[in-house]
Amino acid sequence: MRSDIMKKGSTRAAHRSLFRALGVTDREFDRPFIGIVNSFNEIVPGHIHLRELCENVKAGVRSAGGVPFEFPSIAVCDGITMNHAGMNYSLPSRENIADSIEIMATAHPFDGLVFITSCDKVIPGMIMAAARLNIPSIFISGGPMLAGNYNGKRIGLSDTFEAVGSHASGKITDEELEDIINNTCPTCGSCSGMYTANTMNCLLEALGLALPGNGTVPAVMAQRRRLAKEAGFRIVELVNENVKARDILTREAIINAFRLDMALGGSTNSVLHLLAISREAGCPIDIKEVDKLSKTTPQLCKLSPASSIYIEDLNQVGGISAVLKELSKLGVLNLSCKTVDGTLEDRVKNAKGPDGVVIKTVDNPYGKTGGLAVLFGNLAEEGAVVKQGAVSPDMLYHKGPARVFDSEEEAIEAILGKKIKDGDVVVIRYEGPKGGPGMREMLSPTSALAGMGQDGTVALITDGRFSGATRGASIGHVSPEAFEGGLIAYVKEGDLIEIDILNNKLNLLVSDEEIQKRKKEGVKAPNKNLTAFQKRYQKFVSNASSGAYMKTEV
């Protein structure tokens, strides 16, 4: 066993004495040592209940003959960090999580790992670590939050962010805003729509690294606790079978995950994360390939924020296995891919069929192409990403004057100050991986536009990114970013911008001569007072089109 290098033989006598201090017995030294990475903390709603879940995992490990050792991982709440300096640290936390787990699981060579995860950057960070370590691994998420209820209507976190815009425009009172706040998040768990956390937890099933139900069983259900026990039991079997992370996390599995992502209409952030994961798994995928996958994958689900359907509804009609089963009818999935409990084919053969509402059939989908689209043009030579399944049909093609802002704060002030007019294209730059640094999410401005009733008339473009809760013509991940000298840095107030989502185009309608003139004149990036950590991140992070991964050389 891998753990023998820290517990067996006379040269490891001192090591064993330290394990004795932990209470490890003679018979346990002959059993698999299982590391349990627990991202519990008391400030993130998706993680507040993970202590209990961890105890269930440990029970499963022990019952299967393993010895569990829990250690922590940080977790940032994107909702709480939204629209202030804290968001500069959200995406960078992904790399910190991957690095810290690599450190812990190499310094203490466990035979297998259980990853207890829940929210946005924790999930991909943990997957990246699993790929690096390449030891038997299994994931169990904290599960989604139940939807809230306000005046008989179910609501999610995106509704609260949009209520800020409604309040600013005078559509709702102070008391109504407070009522919405009090009813949006009724339970623990990752936020209730197909936002980034739930998207990634669902994709874990397609990747094969988690058991069926991982993405959709609500956090408060007893089934979630049973799933955690089963994950603990199964990791010991994976160790005994010598099934390693990269045996499961193959290029074909990642392509399956992209296909599921398109069918679900998942968060745009998932593109960023899957690209980075593919690099860690040794099979880098190009963003142009993502665009091809979208064009050949129908959108079968349309969940909040694109509709009033929530993750709990998807769970009730068969969950991810049911979506994969319907998608497999087109022959676009590799069903022979290994999972932590067999193959993908094993999962889909006994899954439910589509209900026709939450899960559409391949013959009558919500959209003939995927819920995400990749745009290219002079404004995004290396790509930009939009959640096309959550865009109003009237905004799939839009041409309008640019309203240019060098930070999210400036844009928010203009939006809430009613300075943005119907037809405008809001451009927020210097918020990319390097320019931010940290590529902040822009849920606050997109939600403010929606709350003010302008999500159907105003587009937003940024080299930053969006929350999975964002809807409307919101185009992010523009690459190259402004800080790298991308064309977005040279856009001027009033320039016409053309957005053609159906034809995957994003262009600044300015002559080549004028563009060259502007580039010769140059631009000056905003001066930001960066911390030592931010300076290191800015130096080593790649651009969004390659997943904003940390380069080992510059």
Side-chain angles (χ1 to χ4, degrees), residues 255-267:
I255 294 297
N256 283 343
F258 269 119
R259 294 281 191 189
L260 175 64
D261 200 5
M262 301 304 172
L264 291 174
S267 164

Side-chain angles (χ1 to χ4, degrees), residues 300-313:
L300 303 182
C301 301
K302 200 165 191 173
L303 290 88
S304 173
S307 76
S308 58
I309 301 172
Y310 289 84
I311 302 294
E312 62 196 82
D313 303 316

Side-chain angles (χ1 to χ4, degrees), residues 21-37:
L22 299 174
V24 176
T25 64
D26 284 341
R27 69 180 65 193
E28 287 178 314
F29 277 117
D30 293 323
R31 296 178 179 181
F33 277 19
I34 305 299
I36 303 176
V37 194

Side-chain angles (χ1 to χ4, degrees), residues 38-55 70 73-77 80 116-119 122 141-145 185-191 219-220 224:
N38 188 0
S39 55
F40 162 82
N41 64 44
E42 293 183 337
I43 196 168
V44 184
H47 296 250
I48 187 67
H49 61 304
L50 296 188
R51 271 182 177 159
E52 179 189 3
L53 211 62
C54 187
E55 291 307 312
E70 177 187 351
S73 164
I74 65 168
V76 170
C77 178
I80 293 174
I116 304 179
T117 183
S118 189
C119 289
V122 186
S141 80
M145 181 185 293
C185 300
T187 72
C188 61
S190 48
C191 298
V220 293
R224 175 61 55 182

Side-chain angles (χ1 to χ4, degrees), residues 215-284:
T216 60
V217 173
V220 293
M221 291 183 68
Q223 186 183 352
R224 175 61 55 182
R225 296 192 287 276
R226 297 197 299 270
L227 201 62
K229 285 184 183 178
E230 188 61 34
F233 194 97
R234 186 66 190 128
I235 189 60
V236 178
E237 294 180 332
L238 290 170
V239 169
N240 293 333
E241 296 164 9
N242 196 30
V243 177
K244 299 177 181 178
R246 286 203 193 185
D247 296 333
I248 295 171
L249 193 59
T250 61
R251 176 181 174 83
E252 291 76 20
I254 296 171
I255 294 297
N256 283 343
F258 269 119
R259 294 281 191 189
L260 175 64
D261 200 5
M262 301 304 172
L264 291 174
S267 164
T268 52
N269 282 320
S270 57
V271 174
L272 198 71
H273 299 323
L274 286 175
L275 290 174
I277 289 165
S278 72
R279 286 184 170 273
E280 294 285 3
C283 50

